[in-house]
Amino acid sequence: MGKENPAEKALNLIRGRLCDPTFVFRPLSGSSDSNYSKLKFIVSTSITEGCNNSILLLGPRGSGKAAVLDLVVGDLMEEYPDSVTLIRLNGLLHSEDNCAFKEIARQLCMEHHLLFSKMASFDENSQFIIAMLRECGLAHKTIIFVLDEFDMFAQGKQRLLYSLLDAMQSVTSQAVVVGISSRLDADQLLEKRVRSRFSHRKILFLPPSREEIDSLLEHLLSLPADSSFPSGYVSQFNEKIKSITSDTRFKDMLKTFLNANSTVNSFLKFIFRAVSSMNLESGLLSLENFKTALSSMQRQPKLEAVRDCSILELYLLVCMRRLEVKEQNSYNFISVMKEYKTIHDSFQTSDYYAQNVCLRAFEHLREREVICYAENRGQSQAGEYRPMKLLISASELHQGMRSHACCPAILLKLLDH
Amino acid sequence: MPTIAGPSFSSHEHIAAARSENTVEVNTPRKRKLRSDSAAEVSTPMKLKSPRRCAVSIPRTPMAEVKEESNGKPETQFDCLDVKSKWNPRDEDQMKAVKEALHVSTAPSTVVCREDEQGRVLEFVKGCMEQKKAGSLYICGCPGTGKSLSMEKVRQQAQDWAKQEGLPCLETVSVNCTSLTKTTDIFSKILGENKTGKKAIGSSSPLEQLQIMFSQKRESPSSKMMLIIADEMDYLITRDRGVLHELFMLTTLPFSRCILIGVANAIDLADRFLPKLKSLNCKPLVVTFPAYSMQQILRILQERLVELPYVAFQPKALELCARKVSAASGDMRKALSVCRSALEILETEVKGSIDHEPQTPVTEDQVVKMDHMLAALAKTFKSPVVDTIQSLPQHQQIIVCSAAKAFRGSKKDRTIAELNKLYLEICKSSMITPAGITEFTNMCTVLNDQGIVKLSQARNDKLKRVSLRVDEADITFALKEIRFFRNCLL
C-alpha cells in the first residue's frame, strides 16, 4: 500500500508533464539562441516600440511551433498586461474571406466587451476592424494576429492576407501578424503584392539535436525532490533513469526511433507509451518499457496479419506468390487450388484440405485484407472465379513467415524456389 | 565651386548634402530640433514647385552653405560628422528612432527618385483641371515601387495647386479595390454612398446615376472636378470585364468631369482588358514605374537616415543592401526590411555583449557593418529548403535521395510502391534496416506536408503518385557533406 502510492503519483506527475506543452518547452526560454527568444524578441519590440511586424513560423508538424508561440504570448501577457490582444484564426476554418472577417470582428468584440451582431455584413465587419485597429494603435495596445495553417489562407484571392499585411504598413495601427505553416515554401504561395508587404522574417523549427533530446529526457523524467514523495524513492527513480539513458542499448533504440521520425511530438508520444507501461510494483522504469514502446510505435500491420495466419492460409499465400512469379498476373481461386494440388503432388506435403475448407481460409484472408478482389466489376461471377491479387509484397510475406510461430520449412523453400 | 562638389566626394557627401537638403522640407519631423539653428536660417527653403531641383541640388548646396556660413567654420562638414557619429546602440530611444525611420509605414515627407513620374501625372491632372475635361491614366509597376505613395502626393499637390490657382477645389475619391465586396460597389463609392445594398433615388443603379450625371450639361459653371484613384485595379476584372470598361467609359461621356487614375501591377492591363477604348480613341495614358535601381534605393535609404543626428549604418553596408535588392526585385519594402533586420542583428549582438561585460564603454564603431548586413541578406533571401533537408531524419533523407535519383530521367512521378522499391534497394546496399510500408507512407505524407514532395490523391495508399517539388540541385547541395548520400546520388 505504501509502495503503490508513490509509483502512481510519479506516473501521474510524469504523464501530466508530457501532456503539457508549456512544461516541455520551458527550458528553451533559458537559452538566448533558441526560437523562443527570437520570437519573443520580435514580438516584444513590436509591443514596446510600436513598429509593426510580420513573421512566419515554419517547420514539420509536431515540432512545437504553436506551443512555443503560446509560451511567448503567455509570457508577454504577463509582462505587459492590458497591452496585448490576441486574435486567432485557422486556415482550415477561416480561409474564406467573409468567414475570416466575421471571426476577427467577433474576437475583437469579445476582447473589448462589445456586442457582436451576427447579421453584420462584410463591409461593416471590415470597417469595424479598421476602426478597431486605429483605436488600438492610438491607445498603444498591440493586436497579435495568429494565422494557423497559413498556406490555406494563400488560396483564392488572398484578400484577408492583403488587408492584414496592408494594415501593417499604415502608421495608425500597431499589430503583429504571425503565420504558422508546415510548408517550407509558404511565402512563395503568396501573390507578389502580398509577398512584397510581408516582411520576410522566417523562423525555422528544426528537429532537436541529440544533446537537446538528452536534456529534454532528463527534464521530463526526473522527479522533483519535494516532500510528497518518500525521499529514498525519488533518488532511486532518478538513478534508474540515469542508468537507462547511459545504456548503449537505449541509445541504439533512440537512434532507430529518431531515424524514422524526429519531431518533438512523436518523441513525447514515445516517452508517454514507455512511461505508461511502467511496472507499478517496482515503481521504477526499465529498458523493457522503452522496447515495448518502440515496437508499438513502429508497427507493421500486414506483417502481424501474416504472422497470425494458419498454416493452410500460408499455403494459399505461397501458391498465389508462385503464380505471380510465373508471370500469371490474373489468377482466381480455382487456379490457386490447381497450384496447391501441384505442390501437394510434387512434394507430398501432409496438409491437404478439401476445397470448401480452402474457400473458408480464402475468405479469412480477404477479411484481413491480405488479399482482395482484383476488380470490382465482375460481381455477377461467383467468388471462386473472380480474379484476386495479393495486397502484401514478397518481402513482407517472407518476413511474416520467418517470424511465424510454426511455419513449416517446406513453405519457405517453396517461396524461394 | 559647384564643380568641386562632384564625384570627388565620397561617403561624407551624402551626410553633408542631406543635411542641407533637409532644409528643403517645410514639414520636418521633431528630430530637426537637434540640428544647429544656423543651418535653418542660412539656406532658403525650396518649395517643391520644380521637383527636378532636388536631384540637381545635392552636390551644390554643401559648398554654398559653407560659403554662406562664413563665420569661420571651415570644418562644417567634418564637424557634423563628429556630431553624427555618437550613436549608442544600447540607448533604447536612439535604437527606436532609427527603427522608426526605416519602417515601411513611416511615409517620407518627400518622395525622392519618383519626381519624373510624379511630374508627368501632375501635369496631366493639371491639364485636365484647367481645360475642365475628363481623362484617364493608368499607373503600372511592380510591387514596392512607390505607386500608391506617389499618388497620395499627387493628390495633395493637385489640391494645393487648385487652391492656389483659384479653381474650384478638387473632389477626390481614393478606393482600394480589395475592400469592395462586389465589383460594382466602386460606383457607389464614387457617388459617395456609404451604405451598399440600399437603392437611392428611384431604382437606377449607381452606375446608371453616374452615367446620367455625366451626360447632362451642368448649369453651374463652377462644377467640381473629381479625381478618382483606384488602387489594385485588377480586383475589378471580372469575366466579362464589364465593370472595368464602364469605369473607363465614364471618362468618355460628353459632360464627364472625372479624372480617373488606375493603379495595378500588370503592364498590359490597359491593352488586354480595355480594347474598346482604343477604338474610341481614348486609351488611358500609361505611366510605368520601373523597379528601383541600386542608386535609387541607396538614395532613398540615405534620405530616411539623414534626418537622424547620428550615423547608424556604415555606408558600404547600405550600398551592399541596395545592390542586392535591386538585383533581386527592386522592391523598396524589401530593402527597408533587410536594413531593419540588420539593425536587429546588431541589437542582439550588443545585448549579448552587455550580458557578458556590462561595464565596458561603447566602442566608437558600433554601427551596422558589412557582416551584419550580410547576415540579414542571407536570412531574407535564403530559402529554408537546404536547412530542412539537412535536418531531416535519416530515413526521410533516404526517401528524398531515392526520389531525386528516380526523377532524373523523363519520368516525373512514380507511385509509392515503386519509390518504396528504390528505397529498399538503397537501404539494402548500405545495410540499414528499412522501415515498413506503413512507416514509409507516413514519411511520404510528412514530406508532402512540408512541401518537399507532392503526393496525389488515390484510393489505395500504394497507388498515390509522388513527384518532387524541390530542385535536385538543392538536394545534392544539402546532402553533399554526408559521404553516404554523396555516393547514393552518383
Side-chain angles (χ1 to χ4, degrees):
Chain A
M1 184 59 192
K3 258 205 163 180
E4 292 294 280
N5 278 337
E8 273 179 14
K9 260 203 292 197
L11 194 58
N12 286 339
L13 176 72
I14 296 182
R15 286 205 281 215
R17 281 176 178 179
L18 288 168
C19 295
D20 179 17
T22 325
F23 182 83
V24 173
F25 289 100
R26 181 54 68 182
L28 290 179
S29 54
S31 93
S32 64
D33 202 22
S34 62
N35 288 335
Y36 170 88
S37 336
K38 287 186 210 165
L39 188 58
K40 187 156 184 212
F41 179 65
I42 296 179
V43 183
S44 58
T45 43
S46 305
I47 297 180
T48 50
E49 295 171 15
C51 26
N52 303 331
N53 258 322
S54 43
I55 322 163
L56 206 52
L57 303 179
L58 299 173
R61 286 191 199 284
S63 46
K65 308 183 284 287
V68 169
L69 180 66
D70 285 340
L71 207 61
V72 168
V73 169
D75 287 346
L76 286 173
M77 281 192 164
E78 276 174 21
E79 276 180 49
Y80 307 101
D82 295 332
S83 315
V84 176
T85 313
L86 186 65
I87 307 280
R88 283 180 183 273
L89 292 174
N90 193 312
L92 293 169
L93 297 170
H94 308 126
S95 61
E96 213 242 335
D97 297 322
N98 282 340
C99 241
F101 275 89
K102 200 181 227 184
E103 182 63 23
I104 296 179
R106 190 186 69 84
Q107 290 191 20
L108 280 172
C109 285
M110 260 185 16
E111 281 278 333
H112 298 270
H113 307 291
L114 302 165
L115 279 178
F116 173 69
S117 149
K118 285 191 207 164
M119 294 293 124
S121 72
F122 179 78
D123 266 348
E124 288 168 9
N125 280 335
S126 62
Q127 278 171 17
F128 171 68
I129 293 170
I130 294 174
M132 275 310 263
L133 276 171
R134 206 179 14 238
E135 286 298 314
C136 286
L138 289 173
H140 293 291
K141 283 182 80 152
T142 313
I143 306 186
I144 302 183
F145 289 95
V146 175
L147 300 174
D148 237 330
E149 313 289 341
F150 188 75
D151 41 305
M152 307 288 289
F153 283 109
Q155 297 168 347
K157 277 200 164 185
Q158 303 184 4
R159 274 214 287 193
L160 171 71
L161 287 178
Y162 180 87
S163 334
L164 281 182
L165 291 174
D166 206 29
M168 300 290 114
Q169 312 263 297
S170 72
V171 194
T172 49
S173 57
Q174 191 171 325
V176 187
V177 173
V178 183
I180 305 180
S181 176
S182 62
R183 276 190 68 158
L184 299 174
D185 54 348
D187 62 334
Q188 306 296 324
L189 296 170
L190 300 172
E191 266 188 14
K192 55 180 199 281
R193 51 182 153 211
V194 180
R195 191 161 6 128
S196 162
R197 287 169 166 80
F198 171 63
S199 68
H200 291 102
R201 280 161 213 264
K202 296 184 243 193
I203 300 185
L204 206 53
F205 278 74
L206 296 172
S209 62
R210 273 320 284 269
E211 296 84 29
E212 287 171 7
I213 294 265
D214 289 334
S215 61
L216 188 63
L217 208 55
E218 201 190 299
H219 172 68
L220 289 170
L221 292 176
S222 338
L223 287 180
D226 59 11
S227 55
S228 55
F229 293 105
S231 60
Y233 175 65
V234 170
S235 44
Q236 224 184 351
F237 192 86
N238 292 344
E239 274 303 313
K240 194 75 201 312
I241 299 285
K242 278 210 184 59
S243 70
I244 293 178
T245 46
S246 44
D247 193 345
T248 40
R249 287 174 294 170
F250 178 76
K251 290 198 182 133
D252 287 338
M253 229 192 300
L254 205 53
K255 195 163 151 206
T256 344
F257 177 72
L258 291 175
N259 272 346
N261 204 337
S262 57
T263 55
V264 178
N265 205 13
S266 59
F267 181 67
L268 290 177
K269 282 190 197 159
F270 171 63
I271 301 290
F272 193 92
R273 281 185 213 218
V275 165
S276 302
S277 54
M278 180 169 91
N279 184 353
L280 286 172
E281 288 278 326
S282 65
L284 299 173
L285 283 175
S286 69
L287 204 60
E288 276 62 45
N289 296 136
F290 290 97
K291 270 204 198 124
T292 35
L294 188 64
S295 53
S296 80
M297 290 207 66
Q298 294 188 334
R299 281 185 56 220
Q300 304 204 27
K302 299 285 185 204
L303 214 60
E304 287 167 15
V306 174
R307 246 201 318 246
D308 293 338
C309 282
S310 66
I311 310 287
L312 175 59
E313 286 157 6
L314 284 180
Y315 262 99
L316 293 175
L317 286 175
V318 167
C319 291
M320 290 177 85
R321 177 71 200 143
R322 283 169 66 90
L323 284 176
E324 267 188 12
V325 167
K326 286 184 200 168
E327 310 274 338
Q328 209 169 324
N329 280 330
S330 110
Y331 41 82
N332 57 17
F333 178 65
I334 307 294
S335 36
V336 171
M337 288 307 295
K338 274 196 211 134
E339 178 73 18
Y340 184 47
K341 189 161 183 345
T342 343
I343 293 181
H344 174 70
D345 291 339
S346 49
F347 290 97
Q348 301 296 321
T349 51
S350 54
D351 317 281
Y352 186 66
Y353 295 94
Q355 179 143 336
N356 49 353
V357 183
C358 293
L359 194 58
R360 195 81 81 64
F362 227 65
E363 287 300 312
H364 225 222
L365 285 174
R366 210 167 58 80
E367 275 165 20
R368 291 217 71 182
E369 297 218 348
V370 182
I371 64 180
C372 71
Y373 289 128
E375 303 136 7
N376 279 330
R377 274 177 291 150
Q379 267 166 7
S380 53
Q381 290 175 320
E384 296 136 330
Y385 294 97
R386 287 175 68 180
M388 316 282 292
K389 67 174 179 184
L390 270 178
L391 283 177
I392 55 175
S393 65
S395 55
E396 280 172 334
L397 187 55
H398 245 115
Q399 248 184 307
M401 283 176 34
R402 252 182 267 132
S403 53
H404 195 274
C406 43
C407 176
I410 183 135
L411 272 181
L412 286 167
K413 204 172 82 170
L414 282 171
L415 197 59
D416 293 332
H417 165 71
Chain B
M1 215 79 54
T3 50
I4 300 178
S8 60
F9 267 16
S10 63
S11 54
H12 308 312
E13 170 194 60
H14 67 272
I15 302 171
R19 188 170 157 260
S20 57
E21 200 181 45
N22 202 27
T23 57
V24 165
E25 295 141 29
V26 185
N27 317 319
T28 39
R30 49 181 161 30
K31 296 170 193 94
R32 194 147 169 260
K33 292 194 196 103
L34 298 157
R35 227 173 258 319
S36 49
D37 284 346
S38 56
E41 288 153 307
V42 166
S43 328
T44 50
M46 294 179 267
K47 276 247 181 246
L48 252 86
K49 259 199 197 149
S50 46
R52 283 236 172 261
R53 272 193 85 192
C54 273
V56 176
S57 64
I58 295 175
R60 286 195 193 181
T61 30
M63 291 315 280
E65 207 183 13
V66 170
K67 265 209 80 172
E68 283 166 40
E69 286 182 6
S70 52
N71 30 8
K73 275 205 232 163
E75 300 97 14
T76 318
Q77 308 159 24
F78 306 103
D79 243 1
C80 71
L81 253 193
D82 286 332
V83 170
K84 272 201 166 241
S85 63
K86 285 200 194 97
W87 183 47
N88 182 4
R90 298 184 192 192
D91 184 355
E92 287 193 10
D93 285 328
Q94 293 188 358
M95 184 62 91
K96 184 173 169 181
V98 181
K99 278 197 196 166
E100 217 176 288
L102 285 177
H103 200 268
V104 188
S105 56
T106 333
S109 30
T110 43
V111 180
V112 288
C113 303
R114 286 290 174 220
E115 299 91 358
D116 196 18
E117 291 86 1
Q118 261 184 267
R120 282 171 68 189
V121 178
L122 194 59
E123 289 306 316
F124 177 82
V125 173
K126 281 188 201 168
C128 285
M129 277 165 60
E130 275 171 353
Q131 299 168 17
K132 290 209 197 290
K133 252 180 53 170
S136 58
L137 188 63
Y138 174 60
I139 310 270
C140 59
C142 288
T145 42
K147 302 185 291 293
S148 305
L149 202 59
S150 306
M151 288 308 108
E152 270 306 303
K153 292 290 172 201
V154 163
R155 190 169 95 142
Q156 279 170 0
Q157 288 171 22
Q159 279 177 329
D160 293 338
W161 183 78
K163 238 179 273 178
Q164 213 182 8
E165 297 287 312
L167 291 172
C169 67
L170 194 65
E171 218 180 287
T172 50
V173 177
S174 204
V175 181
N176 190 321
C177 300
T178 47
S179 59
L180 302 170
T181 339
K182 289 197 322 274
T183 46
T184 42
D185 284 346
I186 187 160
F187 299 116
S188 4
K189 282 256 161 68
I190 297 176
L191 271 181
E193 286 171 10
N194 285 327
K195 310 184 195 79
T196 57
K198 277 196 188 168
K199 296 226 191 274
I201 314 156
S203 60
S204 54
S205 68
L207 171 60
E208 286 166 13
Q209 283 180 33
L210 281 171
Q211 286 176 331
I212 294 171
M213 211 160 63
F214 290 150
S215 327
Q216 296 167 343
K217 186 158 170 56
R218 301 296 281 189
E219 291 78 33
S220 55
S222 61
S223 53
K224 292 188 188 172
M225 296 291 284
M226 203 190 314
L227 178 65
I228 306 169
I229 302 181
D231 226 341
E232 313 290 355
M233 210 171 59
D234 40 330
Y235 273 96
L236 290 178
I237 296 177
T238 48
R239 191 91 77 80
D240 61 352
R241 300 161 197 174
V243 176
L244 208 56
H245 250 118
E246 294 303 327
L247 190 60
F248 275 89
M249 293 292 267
L250 282 177
T251 57
T252 63
L253 294 169
F255 294 102
S256 164
R257 48 181 174 80
C258 62
I259 309 170
L260 176 65
I261 301 183
V263 182
N265 293 127
I267 292 184
D268 55 351
L269 199 105
D271 294 327
R272 265 197 299 155
F273 294 107
L274 304 168
K276 262 199 244 166
L277 292 184
K278 198 168 172 182
S279 56
L280 282 169
N281 214 17
C282 46
K283 234 178 72 155
L285 182 66
V286 177
V287 177
T288 322
F289 274 57
Y292 285 118
S293 70
M294 183 212 133
Q295 291 298 330
Q296 291 175 323
I297 296 186
L298 190 57
R299 230 188 99 194
I300 297 177
L301 286 174
Q302 287 164 355
E303 263 298 300
R304 284 191 175 231
L305 291 172
V306 91
E307 298 165 354
L308 302 167
Y310 28 75
V311 168
F313 282 79
Q314 216 182 37
K316 285 237 186 302
L318 284 179
E319 224 181 277
L320 176 68
C321 169
R323 205 183 288 275
K324 192 72 200 279
V325 174
S326 66
S329 56
D331 186 341
M332 197 58 220
R333 291 190 184 110
K334 208 159 196 172
L336 291 170
S337 169
V338 169
C339 290
R340 276 178 61 208
S341 198
L343 209 60
E344 280 171 10
I345 295 178
L346 176 71
E347 200 178 334
T348 3
E349 200 182 280
V350 163
K351 275 214 175 84
S353 70
I354 289 182
D355 292 334
H356 292 309
E357 304 149 28
Q359 298 309 320
T360 47
V362 179
T363 52
E364 273 302 319
D365 285 354
Q366 282 208 339
V367 291
V368 177
K369 298 204 198 74
M370 294 276 277
D371 42 352
H372 302 123
M373 195 57 87
L374 279 168
L377 283 167
K379 255 174 52 175
T380 312
F381 284 101
K382 192 163 81 144
S383 90
V385 170
V386 173
D387 278 335
T388 317
I389 297 184
Q390 279 175 341
S391 58
L392 283 176
Q394 193 190 40
H395 282 281
Q396 293 183 15
Q397 280 175 335
I398 301 181
I399 296 180
V400 171
C401 261
S402 42
K405 257 175 113 166
F407 300 133
R408 257 184 209 163
S410 54
K411 203 158 187 242
K412 284 302 163 196
D413 63 354
R414 301 262 177 139
T415 60
I416 286 200
E418 290 166 19
L419 200 62
N420 192 22
K421 274 196 207 125
L422 288 169
Y423 163 78
L424 290 171
E425 271 170 27
I426 298 186
C427 284
K428 218 190 309 187
S429 66
S430 39
M431 316 290 262
I432 301 180
T433 348
I437 184 75
T438 335
E439 276 284 321
F440 183 82
T441 324
N442 285 342
M443 289 198 272
C444 286
T445 322
V446 168
L447 289 173
N448 174 43
D449 272 344
Q450 290 193 264
I452 298 179
V453 299
K454 185 165 140 153
L455 272 186
S456 67
Q457 294 292 334
R459 263 178 310 159
N460 190 355
D461 260 354
K462 290 197 194 169
L463 293 178
K464 290 190 183 171
R465 303 200 78 85
V466 186
S467 53
L468 257 190
R469 264 207 186 118
V470 299
D471 267 339
E472 193 191 324
D474 283 335
I475 301 175
T476 329
F477 179 76
L479 296 174
K480 68 180 185 332
E481 303 288 319
I482 310 174
R483 198 165 16 130
F484 164 64
F485 290 113
R486 250 208 320 257
N487 298 338
C488 252
L489 284 169
L490 279 173

